[in-house]
Amino acid sequence: FALLVSEEIEEATLAARPAAPRVGTARRIALDPRFPTWYRLRVWAGRRLGLRVVDASGAGLRADVEASRTGVSNRGTAAWNRKATTDAEGRLTLLLPPGSIQLAASVPEVGTIRRTLPPPPLDDQVLRIGHADGETLAGVVEDTGGRPIGGARVEAHVVLGAAGRLTRVTKTDAAGRWELPGLPAGRIEEVEVRAEGFVPRTLDVQAPVAAEAGRAHRLVLSRACAVTGRVVDDDGRPVAQAAVRVATDDGTRDATADAGGCFRVGTLPAGRVLLRAAPPGWWLPYGRSSVREGGDAVEAILEGEGSTATVTLTIGTGRTVRGRVVLANGAPVPDAVVTVRAGRYAHDTPHPLPPPATSATDGSFLFTGINPVNYVALVARVEGLTARAITNTIWELAARDDLE
């Protein structure tokens, strides 16, 4: 086959979908517009796998099943993925490609079992969400005042060794009590607790199931704080559908501004948080270190449980990027065409890219009016020479007014 693609496409997925009983793969590939490239898509005779998902009593469960395979070659990544649902008796038959298979079966409000299947020969698989002779993990969820929290969601993540990983789910009753029976022998990694209006909490347990089964686990949640505000431009006009990211000590939260530029981010712990905003359609970096102090970042202090802070976020313009194009020996390169590229996730945006700049006799170039979260790469092209790109300028622009 032959495909002609736009120069703007940097990555693509090629997929072969043969009819049963054959199995094909998909490959995620990087594209270089300068070079036509040959790719090989493999198709195999599928191997059949019988699967059954059951509860502690051995009764079949209707479950959502996902099977996947990944593999890396020198020309990209070959992948295979299938999603299906078991019948009323918990049964399902899959056609699998060669190699190791990642298998996951999920039953809503009950749990998820994950298992890695080795290459053939392969026996039919029984995935147990519960075990009749398993241990029981139990406890209570309360607020910081000792009052029970009903309807809280509790998840226990258990490592089963060669048998895979098990996630069990339950909810607390009106007295805040919860119970997870039928846990098999294994090691509890962590227990997650979530409740409406409270900050989610994760307990790092790292202990055998048998050792934790005899304990009454008391989980205390604090009431969630929130940040509200408005996103505006340099002239004070609201920016509709702006992206907002809030960074805390335990991660990040996202929100989208409404038509009036207003937003609200909840489920935040008390303390110091940092916020940044981006125009609609543009990508913001993850992690607290990426939502940097200075530049466009705004600090908010949440004073105590259930408190709310109000901020104004400004999406500024007018940043300057200047630089020089040189040869490896440092000699200036005049008449080089320098282009600012949008990032991979910065698409469908109303903010245009600046026009290309041409380097002067000393190799210098200049861009003005650049939004700090819009653009992530500078590319210099010269006739007869290899193009050179400098990426991730988004991080530098977030921390200062100009970039050189």
Side-chain angles (χ1 to χ4, degrees):
F1 60 89
L3 298 173
L4 181 64
V5 298
S6 165
E7 286 191 2
E8 300 301 319
I9 300 177
E10 296 180 353
E11 291 187 346
T13 298
L14 303 177
R17 301 294 187 196
R22 294 183 176 272
V23 179
T25 59
R27 298 182 64 174
R28 187 72 175 172
I29 60 174
L31 299 177
D32 190 328
R34 297 172 298 169
F35 305 108
T37 308
W38 285 94
Y39 293 95
R40 176 177 297 171
L41 298 177
R42 294 188 178 275
V43 174
W44 296 280
R47 51 189 174 116
R48 292 187 179 276
L49 172 70
L51 181 69
R52 191 160 188 249
V53 182
V54 299
D55 62 12
S57 66
L61 295 172
R62 190 176 294 276
D64 297 322
V65 177
E66 182 173 2
S68 60
R69 168 192 181 273
T70 59
V72 179
S73 70
N74 60 352
R75 289 197 172 188
T77 299
W80 174 89
N81 180 274
R82 288 292 182 275
K83 295 181 180 180
T85 302
T86 60
D87 62 18
E89 296 183 351
R91 300 183 186 277
L92 177 67
T93 300
L94 294 171
L95 274 177
L96 305 180
S100 297
I101 302 296
Q102 307 297 320
L103 198 63
S106 299
V107 180
E109 303 305 321
V110 176
T112 301
I113 180 74
R114 293 177 174 84
R115 184 175 297 173
T116 299
L117 305 182
L122 191 66
D123 297 325
D124 289 353
Q125 298 287 310
V126 176
L127 301 181
R128 294 186 179 275
I129 300 293
H131 292 252
D133 57 350
E135 303 282 0
T136 297
L137 197 66
V140 64
V141 178
E142 301 174 342
D143 64 15
T144 52
R147 295 176 289 269
I149 301 176
R153 180 183 174 91
V154 181
E155 293 186 9
H157 302 275
V158 184
V159 179
L160 306 177
R165 300 168 64 90
L166 174 67
T167 298
R168 287 289 305 278
V169 180
T170 189
K171 287 189 176 181
T172 60
D173 60 18
R177 293 187 295 265
W178 58 274
E179 186 177 271
L180 286 171
L183 293 180
R187 176 173 55 85
I188 301 176
E189 271 194 324
E190 59 186 21
V191 176
E192 297 182 38
V193 189
R194 295 176 180 273
E196 185 72 25
F198 292 85
V199 181
R201 184 180 178 190
T202 299
L203 299 180
D204 187 15
V205 181
Q206 303 296 337
V209 172
E212 295 297 310
R215 296 179 52 195
H217 295 78
R218 179 173 177 263
L219 307 174
V220 179
L221 300 183
S222 60
R223 294 199 173 272
C225 301
V227 174
T228 63
R230 197 161 178 250
V231 183
V232 298
D233 61 18
D234 282 336
D235 297 322
R237 294 171 297 198
V239 181
Q241 304 303 312
V244 177
R245 176 153 294 159
V246 182
T248 69
D249 289 335
D250 62 351
T252 59
R253 315 281 198 280
D254 291 336
T256 301
D258 62 18
C262 299
F263 68 90
R264 184 181 188 277
V265 182
T267 66
L268 297 173
R272 177 174 176 266
V273 298
L274 295 174
L275 299 92
R276 277 190 63 197
W282 291 97
W283 172 77
L284 276 169
Y286 285 97
R288 185 181 181 90
S289 61
S290 300
V291 185
R292 295 184 176 184
E293 302 179 49
D296 290 0
V298 172
E299 178 185 280
I301 304 296
L302 298 170
E303 301 281 359
E305 285 189 47
S307 62
T308 299
T310 302
V311 299
T312 298
L313 303 179
T314 301
I315 297 178
T317 57
R319 299 294 177 87
T320 297
V321 175
R322 65 179 74 244
R324 295 179 69 231
V325 181
V326 297
L327 295 176
N329 60 10
V333 179
D335 300 322
V337 178
V338 183
T339 305
V340 177
R341 268 191 191 171
R344 181 182 307 166
Y345 304 101
H347 49 75
D348 298 332
T349 173
H351 299 267
L353 293 168
T358 302
S359 60
T361 54
D362 62 350
S364 62
F365 63 86
L366 174 68
F367 291 99
T368 59
I370 290 185
N371 188 299
V373 293
N374 281 4
Y375 316 107
V376 300
L378 296 171
V379 182
R381 297 183 183 275
V382 183
E383 187 68 28
L385 297 176
T386 302
R388 174 69 187 276
I390 300 177
T391 59
N392 288 339
T393 56
I394 182 174
W395 316 93
E396 300 296 333
L397 285 170
R400 63 184 76 177
D401 290 334
D402 300 311
L403 177 69
E404 183 170 350

